[in-house]
Amino acid sequence: MSQRLENRQIVIGVSGGIAAYKAVEVLRLLKRAGAQVRVIMTENATQFVGPVTFEALSGNRVCTGLFKDTEKDASIRHIEWAQEADLVLVAPATANIIAKYALGLADDALSTLLLAAAAPVVICPAMNSQMYEHPAVQRNIGQLRQDGRIIVEPGAGELACGTVGPGRLADPAEIFDRICGALTEKDYAGVRVLVTAGPTREAVDPVRFLSNPSSGKMGYAIAQAAEHRGAHVTLVSGPVNLSPPVGVRTVPVICAQEMAHAVFAEFDSADLVIKTAAVADFRPKDPAAHKIKKGDPNEEQNLLLERTVDILKTLGDRKKEQFLVGFAAETRDLERYARDKLSAKNLDMIAANIVGRADAGFGADTNRISLFYRDGEKEELPLMEKSDAAHLILDRVLDRVLDRIPDRIPDRIPDSLKSGTSIGQ
Ligand code: CTP
């Protein structure tokens, strides 16, 4: 459960498009994250998905029209909902509701609620490609952007009407992510964050490599969390099965040497570096140019390995103003190894965890991390979602940058930040 969405009041406006069923998935994601969700549907939307589906999943009565509800005070319910909302989502948003909202028309419950809402509004257009590309629709979307509304661009692909092009409702996971971003305080605004994630692969021959089971989830969660908090984020990522986080500049790499090049190129322009990547310490000294054949059944093969560059140690040696966070995955003696790495690599903080358990470390969605600081302090975090651990690590970094080493705060961090205001939840 994400702490950021817990008990936040979200209204989902569903307008009449074939993608209305996908709003059900968004609703499920929001409920799973602990949000309170209310659904308001246009009359046309009810032709695509029955209100009872949304009612059952949200646990709340669905609003389907201004005068349909017989309950007392129902005719002003949408105004109340608008006032109580922390965020309003419209998914799918048809050309019609987009036009009404851009113009300020209020002739049904959803368009009226939109005008009455002071909370952030996230609009997810979905329609036929020609309609989406029509100058009138583009003009209206542009107007909504100008008015400060968040637009989640539709994807491209084959649409229900058979045409191929842009107009398909964005993925529920992306919509969920943008909602999280919209509800997150921008306490990292202007801060430049460099994150590394995933494993590296060191070639043995053209079809084989040495690697490790790092999934990249922790690093991707940190990159996404920092982006949600307003940072400029660059993510240098080894090969993983994760979608690049929205709004993050992702630099894909394969081996330790490539990761080192990419990180060194970015280092000077970073304020904060978080190295979650599980970098190979050794690589085959002479990778074969062609596939190695197994040959004689009794013959043994030796693989000669050489050391790769220790990227983080190099950064520690070179660092000036940057705040450096390392990660340590250990199978035993966590504290001793973590503290050794903290000092050997000249880090400001290290996040360490024991690997080899089902609920923490490689591949898991949760992690149990201990934080060790330069000044000798230690903090043990309970088992938590990697996305929550990511925010907590960012909270702690901000805490330290603000309170302990204020001279580290680069000039480009806004004054509001330096004054030590809220550092996240
Ligand atoms: N790291 C790095 N470059 C390497 C190896 C590690 O930048 N060639 C970084 C990792 O990204 C991590 C930290 O150093 O932030 C610790 O990595 P880890 O593999 O736990 O430790 P090592 O220094 O490799 O030591 P050992 O393998 O002996 O535990």
Side-chain angles (χ1 to χ4, degrees):
M1 184 179 285
S2 162
Q3 291 166 4
R4 308 228 142 216
L5 289 188
E6 217 176 325
N7 292 323
R8 305 303 286 269
Q9 191 64 249
I10 294 172
V11 174
I12 303 182
V14 184
S15 62
I18 201 90
Y21 72 96
K22 285 200 201 169
V24 175
E25 181 57 20
V26 179
L27 166 57
R28 285 185 53 241
L29 291 172
L30 290 170
K31 287 297 287 179
R32 206 184 301 154
Q36 302 290 328
V37 186
R38 289 161 161 171
V39 178
I40 180 161
M41 302 177 77
T42 63
E43 183 141 13
N44 284 347
T46 62
Q47 303 293 316
F48 292 93
V49 181
V52 72
T53 304
F54 289 111
E55 222 149 76
L57 290 170
S58 70
N60 284 316
R61 224 189 145 92
V62 170
C63 177
T64 51
L66 286 175
F67 306 107
K68 296 215 150 173
D69 213 320
T70 47
E71 251 182 59
K72 189 172 163 282
D73 294 336
S75 59
I76 54 152
R77 176 179 296 153
H78 54 287
I79 300 292
E80 247 171 57
W81 284 13
Q83 284 161 352
E84 288 167 7
D86 291 309
L87 182 138
V88 179
L89 168 78
V90 185
T94 57
N96 191 47
I97 192 74
I98 288 170
K100 285 202 272 188
Y101 191 29
L103 276 174
L105 293 178
D107 65 350
D108 64 1
L110 177 56
S111 53
T112 311
L113 176 137
L114 283 168
L115 291 194
V121 177
V122 178
I123 303 282
C124 308
M127 64 198 78
N128 157 278
S129 304
Q130 258 87 38
M131 289 172 75
Y132 179 68
E133 284 168 344
H134 193 285
V137 173
Q138 287 303 313
R139 194 166 55 239
N140 289 332
I141 290 176
Q143 181 63 54
L144 291 180
R145 251 198 208 102
Q146 216 174 307
D147 294 345
R149 312 301 160 223
I150 298 159
I151 308 292
V152 184
E153 299 284 350
E158 196 177 332
L159 304 177
C161 54
T163 51
V164 177
R168 196 165 62 184
L169 184 71
D171 275 346
E174 185 186 342
I175 296 172
F176 176 77
D177 176 72
R178 298 294 290 276
I179 292 170
C180 294
L183 287 172
T184 306
E185 188 192 345
K186 305 296 175 223
D187 54 2
Y188 266 74
V191 181
R192 297 171 304 180
V193 180
L194 173 59
V195 183
T196 70
T200 64
R201 288 180 182 171
E202 311 303 323
V204 173
D205 70 14
V207 295
R208 301 181 180 96
F209 54 79
L210 300 180
S211 192
N212 62 67
S214 167
S215 65
K217 285 178 183 170
M218 192 64 237
Y220 275 58
I222 290 175
Q224 190 66 90
E227 195 276 334
H228 284 170
R229 294 167 77 150
H232 299 296
V233 187
T234 301
L235 172 64
V236 177
S237 173
V240 294
N241 275 325
L242 300 170
S243 310
V246 178
V248 168
R249 189 163 72 87
T250 304
V251 182
V253 297
I254 305 287
C255 64
Q257 193 56 37
E258 278 178 24
M259 184 170 279
H261 279 309
V263 170
F264 296 156
E266 301 290 336
F267 185 54
D268 285 342
S269 49
D271 302 311
L272 164 65
V273 182
I274 305 184
K275 283 217 81 242
T276 71
V279 188
D281 291 323
F282 293 94
R283 66 173 170 222
K285 189 166 168 41
D286 295 305
H290 293 283
K291 185 181 172 196
I292 299 170
K293 290 295 180 188
K294 58 181 173 293
D296 189 326
N298 298 319
E299 196 188 342
E300 287 184 342
Q301 280 275 0
N302 285 318
L303 191 58
L304 190 59
L305 302 177
E306 64 181 1
R307 285 285 293 270
T308 57
V309 58
D310 189 326
I311 306 169
L312 191 54
K313 176 155 185 4
T314 312
L315 300 186
D317 293 341
R318 284 191 199 167
K319 87 169 170 192
K320 296 185 190 100
E321 296 289 296
Q322 291 94 342
F323 193 91
L324 223 50
V325 181
F327 265 72
E330 307 292 347
T331 54
R332 61 187 169 136
D333 286 341
L334 186 75
E335 178 155 0
R336 178 161 66 88
Y337 287 131
R339 287 199 190 281
D340 284 353
K341 287 173 193 178
L342 181 78
S343 89
K345 303 192 189 203
N346 192 19
L347 308 178
D348 297 286
M349 174 173 149
I350 192 159
N353 66 300
I354 290 284
V355 282
R357 293 181 181 157
D359 60 358
F362 293 141
D365 290 324
T366 50
N367 211 351
R368 191 192 308 274
I369 290 174
S370 298
L371 300 177
F372 300 91
Y373 299 95
R374 197 182 176 80
D375 58 12
E377 263 185 55
K378 169 188 172 180
E379 187 181 6
E380 277 177 19
L381 307 180
L383 184 74
M384 59 175 79
E385 296 281 329
K386 284 183 173 170
S387 57
D388 289 330
H391 276 291
L392 215 137
I393 288 169
L394 292 173
D395 288 348
R396 296 298 183 265
V397 170
L398 207 50
D399 218 354
R400 301 266 149 172
V401 173
L402 287 169
D403 295 346
R404 314 225 163 177
I405 36 178
D407 52 315
R408 278 272 178 80
I409 301 171
D411 287 343
R412 45 193 172 272
I413 298 181
D415 286 336
S416 57
L417 245 182
K418 292 182 188 174
S419 64
T421 46
S422 166
I423 55 158
Q425 298 149 20

